[in-house]
């Protein structure tokens, strides 16, 4: 045990292993953050949610940091709600006719070079008989005022600026977004955005004492958030964060369970010898004939795509592989050691010898193998997802790549859609592979100094 | 495969003759028992695959449901059957369904079907596919596979052969230049091989197809295909560059690293130092003192490589839309086409068994320490 710890201390001599340890620690931190930020049920709800969850987001919007690398600054989406004080100022008073009036003022800076895709108001009215009445005014940075629309507010009312033909006529028969953000100096031939602070004022008249209305201003730019969105308006931050715990869990579980079971089976085979050993050898050879990936695909296609089923089958198929022969060779040597002979002499039981004397001897050899195997399993999960056999419920990195592939992300130039899940996959793979390499060199005496 | 020391010098003629006879008997006995074990392994492996491809009757149910739905839909859309009385229609659907089930063999119990699958497969009678057709319209499994084979062989052979020989040659030269900058770089890069080829594939598509627009996104040939001859070959070559590079890139560093470490272990043997002390050139050292004793390992991995060439790469081919065996496998599974799945498995199993069998003899040929059937 002491030599084992000494060996671990040797890790410090390898700079790559320090980097790897930092990467792995970082991954675990992200995984913990993901689980805390979006509990499992919430993550699933968001990932499976449709328009009703993600209506505030534009489709296929790259992340906002793409602006840092571009001369042309594209508009970033945002949401301003009348219910949050940071977003808007709300003043209520009783007007001269004796009705309650609420004035909601939204102000935002618009310093981008392109016009937004769309602006939408989501009203939610609260009334018994008489609907509240809302009117929207638009003020440009240079002080021009444009009347946008007046409408009754039902329990749920959506007002899309671009679809209002009256507004289009009012802004001069050009697309509404251009009309509202136009810099008048440049004309409409080559429209230029007028940068500055815009103001939107919504007057809500209510006609009942208890009646009220809230209004959400949603601007769909071409960019959204730190991770961007996919074709279903979903924020990619959810699968990016949640992919981490899933990848780690799958990789670690598959690798540890497979490794430990392989070792135990090899030890049992060596200890009992005879037909047990023979059987294990034959099973290993048969397993070699079985097409591993095809079987996984069959299970995924015919039976269940649940990540736990796939994990179980993966483990089952990975136990009886070449590794069992490697462990067998080592156990053969250990079996002949004198301390085993001593154990046998004092009458130790078979299980005692296998689990307390044989197996602990080669645990140091097991560890590098376990760590090095993790990337393969992480990528296996991603590979199955890329084939469309990912878990139907869970948001994973592989599924994002699969969605992107199915929607021709590369052909359409949505590079972020592929790169964002690919980079954490690569980092995870590299982190564990680097650590595995260093551990291998420390624990494997033949590789020492090579 | 224990290395037994050769019997000491035997000068007498009769002893020599006896030794030849006993060698023949030993080799014969070994060959026989080895062939039988391998055959049983193949039989069990293939039968397991058949069982899995059926999922305990689950797939039969899916297929029955699909047949019934397909026929019902067809009749519902067909004007000719519009005025048929409901009970007549039900009866007609039932006959059509039972016909179709007979065609697919669903009328026989699975236990019987699975055995006939197995027996036919072992005789390489691959039979007809259920849903898949070859591009020429044939349902023969052998034709479906043969049609896809050239594409896969072209892709996998090119990349694997380049990979294999490049890795060994570079590793050999690195093992002589241990600790140099290139050596350290290869060691440092080897963790990158934890990512599979398709992963590198999407990066390559991103850079060379989407961003730079130099190379096509996927497929094997321009559309429409150019004239036969040189333009055709050039077009295929252009489509091959990305998948081949992805396949090579994903494992070149780990291959070099493994071979280099392997050669380094062998070049630290005393006889290599001895040869060096004698003043042999590097070339002679490499060829006679390092490559020769490592030959069995090199041959094994070459043999396994040859099998790997055949099976194709399911995901890489899917990502690059390469019309090979790997994609055919994936499609066959998606269409519940058991005959095709079994056909692909049996060929793989046979090739693996033959390779494993031959390797034993090749070991004995290249390594005088190994005797065929010599292990106890």
């Amino acid at each position: 045990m002491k030599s084992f710890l000494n060996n671990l201390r040797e890790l410090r001599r390898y700079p790559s292993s320090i980097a790897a340890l930092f990467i792995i620690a970082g991954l675990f931190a992200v995984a913990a953050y993901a689980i805390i930020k979006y509990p499992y049920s919430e993550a699933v709800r968001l990932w499976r949610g449709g328009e009703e969850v993600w209506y505030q987001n534009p489709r296929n919007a790259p992340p906002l940091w793409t602006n840092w690398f571009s001369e042309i600054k594209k508009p970033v989406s945002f949401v301003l709600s009348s219910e949050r004080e940071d977003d808007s100022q709300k003043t209520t008073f009783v007007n001269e006719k004796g009705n309650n009036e609420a004035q909601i003022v939204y102000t935002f800076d618009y310093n981008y070079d392109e016009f937004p895709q769309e602006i939408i108001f989501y009203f939610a009215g609260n009334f018994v008989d008489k609907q509240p009445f809302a009117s929207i005014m638009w003020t440009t940075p240079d002080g021009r005022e444009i009347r946008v629309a007046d409408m009754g507010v039902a329990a749920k009312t959506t007002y899309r600026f671009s679809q209002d033909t009256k507004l289009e006529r009012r802004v001069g028969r050009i697309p509404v977004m251009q009309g509202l953000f136009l810099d008048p100096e440049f004309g409409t031939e080559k429209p230029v955005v007028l940068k500055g602070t815009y103001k939107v004022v919504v007057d809500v008249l209510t006609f009942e004492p208890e009646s009220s209305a809230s209004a959400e201003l949603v601007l769909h730019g071409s960019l959204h958030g730190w991770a961007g969105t996919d074709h279903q308006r979903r924020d990619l931050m959810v699968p990016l964060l949640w992919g981490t715990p899933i990848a780690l869990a799958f990789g670690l579980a598959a690798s540890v369970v497979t490794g430990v079971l392989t070792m135990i089976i090899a030890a049992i085979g060596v200890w009992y010898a005879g037909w047990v050993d023979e059987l294990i050898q034959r099973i290993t050879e048969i397993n070699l004939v079985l097409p591993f990936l095809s079987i996984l695909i069959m299970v995924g296609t015919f039976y269940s795509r649940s990540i736990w089923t796939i994990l179980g089958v993966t483990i089952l198929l990975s136990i009886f592989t070449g590794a069992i022969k490697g462990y067998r060779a080592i156990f053969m040597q250990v079996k002949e050691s004198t301390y085993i002979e001593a154990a046998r002499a004092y009458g130790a039981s078979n299980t005692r010898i296998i689990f307390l004397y044989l197996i602990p001897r080669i645990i140091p050899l097991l560890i590098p193998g376990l760590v090095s195997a993790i990337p393969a399993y992480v990528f296996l999960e991603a590979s199955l997802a890329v084939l469309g056999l990912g878990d139907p419920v869970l948001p994973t990195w592989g599924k994002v790549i699969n969605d992107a592939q199915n929607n021709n992300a590369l052909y359409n130039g949505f590079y972020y859609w592929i790169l964002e899940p690919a980079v954490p996959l690569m980092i995870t793979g590299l982190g564990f592979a680097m650590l595995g390499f260093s551990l291998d060199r420390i624990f494997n005496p033949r590789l020492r100094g090579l | 495969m224990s290395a037994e020391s050769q019997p000491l010098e035997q000068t007498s003629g009769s002893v020599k003759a006896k030794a030849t006879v006993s060698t023949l008997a030993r080799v014969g006995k070994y060959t026989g028992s080895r062939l039988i074990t391998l055959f049983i392994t193949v039989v069990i492996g293939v039968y397991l695959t058949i069982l899995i491809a059926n999922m305990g009757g689950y797939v039969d149910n899916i297929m029955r449901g699909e047949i019934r739905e397909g026929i019902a839909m067809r009749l519902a859309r067909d004007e000719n059957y519009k005025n048929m009385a409901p009970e007549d229609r039900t009866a007609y659907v039932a006959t059509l369904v039972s016909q179709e089930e007979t065609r697919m063999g669903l009328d026989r119990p699975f236990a019987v079907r699975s055995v006939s699958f197995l027996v036919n497969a072992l005789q390489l009678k691959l039979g007809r596919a259920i849903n898949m057709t070859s591009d020429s319209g044939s349902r023969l499994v052998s034709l479906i596979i043969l049609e896809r084979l050239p594409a896969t062989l072209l892709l996998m052979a090119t990349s694997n052969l380049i990979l294999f020989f490049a890795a060994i040659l570079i590793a050999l030269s690195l093992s002589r230049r241990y600790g140099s900058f290139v050596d350290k770089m290869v060691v440092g890069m080897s963790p990158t091989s934890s990512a599979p080829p398709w992963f590198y594939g999407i990066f390559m598509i991103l850079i060379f197809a989407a961003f730079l627009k130099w190379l096509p996104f996927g497929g094997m040939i321009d559309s429409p295909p150019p004239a036969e001859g040189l333009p055709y070959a050039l077009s295929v070559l252009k489509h091959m560059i990305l998948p081949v590079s992805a396949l090579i890139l994903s494992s070149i560093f780990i291959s070099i690293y493994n071979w280099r470490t392997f050669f380094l272990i062998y070049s630290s043997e005393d006889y290599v130092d001895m040869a060096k002390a004698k003043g042999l050139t590097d070339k002679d050292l490499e060829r006679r003192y390092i490559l020769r004793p490592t030959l069995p390992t090199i041959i094994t991995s070459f043999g396994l490589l040859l099998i790997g060439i055949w099976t194709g790469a399911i995901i890489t081919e899917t990502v690059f839309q390469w019309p090979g065996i790997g994609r055919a496998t994936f499609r066959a599974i998606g269409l519940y086409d058991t005959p095709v799945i079994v056909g692909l498995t049996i060929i793989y199993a046979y090739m693996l068994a033959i390779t494993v069998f031959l390797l034993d003899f090749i070991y004995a040929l290249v390594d005088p320490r190994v005797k065929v059937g010599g292990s106890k």
Side-chain angles (χ1 to χ4, degrees), chain A residues 310-440:
Chain A
I310 298 287
L311 179 66
V313 177
T314 307
I315 290 173
L316 210 63
L317 290 172
S318 316
I319 292 175
F320 292 96
T321 48
I324 225 167
K325 300 206 167 192
Y327 286 131
R328 187 171 170 271
I330 302 166
F331 277 128
M332 287 290 214
Q333 283 176 10
V334 179
K335 193 185 170 184
E336 304 302 325
S337 330
T338 39
Y339 79 98
I340 299 280
E341 216 170 297
R344 225 191 299 207
Y346 83 71
S349 70
N350 287 331
T351 17
R352 187 176 172 85
I353 292 180
I354 291 172
F355 287 98
L356 289 181
Y357 300 137
L358 275 181
I359 289 175
R361 259 305 275 278
I362 71 158
I363 283 180
L365 281 172
L366 174 75
I367 289 171
L370 283 190
V371 176
S372 313
I374 292 174
Y377 292 112
V378 170
F379 276 108
L380 176 71
E381 192 272 322
S383 304
L384 288 173
V386 167
L387 287 177
L389 299 171
D391 191 288
V393 178
L394 292 173
T396 66
W397 295 330
K399 287 195 72 164
V400 177
I401 298 182
N402 180 235
D403 280 341
Q405 290 275 55
N406 288 342
N407 291 287
N408 299 318
L410 290 180
Y411 192 77
N412 292 322
F414 304 135
Y415 302 142
Y416 71 98
W417 202 354
I418 294 257
L419 284 175
E420 284 184 359
V423 168
L425 260 176
M426 191 79 230
I427 290 175
T428 313
L430 274 183
F432 285 104
M434 272 153 61
L435 185 65
F437 265 78
S438 314
L439 285 172
D440 201 23

Side-chain angles (χ1 to χ4, degrees), chain A residues 286 288-290 294-295 298-299 301-302 375 379 383 386-387 405 410-411 415 419 422 426 429 437 441 446-447 449, chain B residues 45 53 55 58-59 178 187 190 194 196 198-199 203 210-211 217 254 257 261 265 315 329-330 333 336 341 348-349:
Chain A
I286 291 169
L288 203 65
V289 176
L290 294 178
S294 292
I295 289 182
M298 278 190 242
V299 171
T301 317
F302 303 157
F379 276 108
S383 304
V386 167
L387 287 177
Q405 290 275 55
L410 290 180
Y411 192 77
Y415 302 142
L419 284 175
M426 191 79 230
F437 265 78
R441 283 202 247 171
R446 296 244 281 173
L447 294 176
Chain B
M55 283 294 147
Y58 196 77
V59 174
Y178 162 65
V187 175
S190 46
S194 61
W198 64 263
F199 189 77
F203 276 103
F211 191 69
F217 278 84
I254 191 84
Y257 174 80
T261 314
I265 289 171
I315 309 171
T329 316
F330 185 52
I333 297 172
Y336 313 112
I341 301 171
Y348 170 70

Side-chain angles (χ1 to χ4, degrees), chain A residues 64-173:
Chain A
L64 58 85
W65 45 262
T66 46
N67 259 352
W68 302 344
F69 309 104
S70 161
E71 278 286 291
I72 300 163
K73 303 298 173 203
K74 292 184 168 177
V76 178
S77 309
F78 59 81
V79 178
L80 297 175
S81 167
S82 62
E83 304 307 298
R84 284 194 296 265
E85 282 189 11
D86 296 346
D87 292 355
S88 57
Q89 292 135 12
K90 193 174 185 177
T91 42
T92 46
F93 51 92
V94 179
N95 69 3
E96 58 271 22
K97 287 178 191 159
N99 296 318
N100 286 320
E101 190 171 339
Q103 191 181 57
I104 308 162
V105 181
Y106 306 88
T107 44
F108 59 89
D109 292 328
Y110 196 87
N111 294 317
Y112 307 108
D113 298 314
E114 286 182 3
F115 295 97
Q117 290 179 13
E118 173 67 303
I119 298 178
I120 309 165
F121 259 109
Y122 293 95
F123 291 103
N126 173 19
F127 59 95
V128 183
D129 293 314
K130 269 194 105 183
Q131 287 184 351
F133 188 81
S135 45
I136 307 167
M137 283 297 282
W138 181 267
T139 313
T140 55
D142 53 3
R144 284 171 297 132
E145 288 200 337
I146 302 167
R147 188 165 65 82
V148 177
D150 309 289
M151 73 201 86
V153 176
K156 271 199 158 55
T157 300
T158 305
Y159 172 73
R160 291 169 197 277
F161 279 41
S162 294
Q163 287 173 10
D164 188 344
T165 42
K166 282 186 211 151
L167 179 59
E168 195 175 305
R169 243 173 283 146
R170 238 172 279 143
V171 296
R173 294 179 193 282

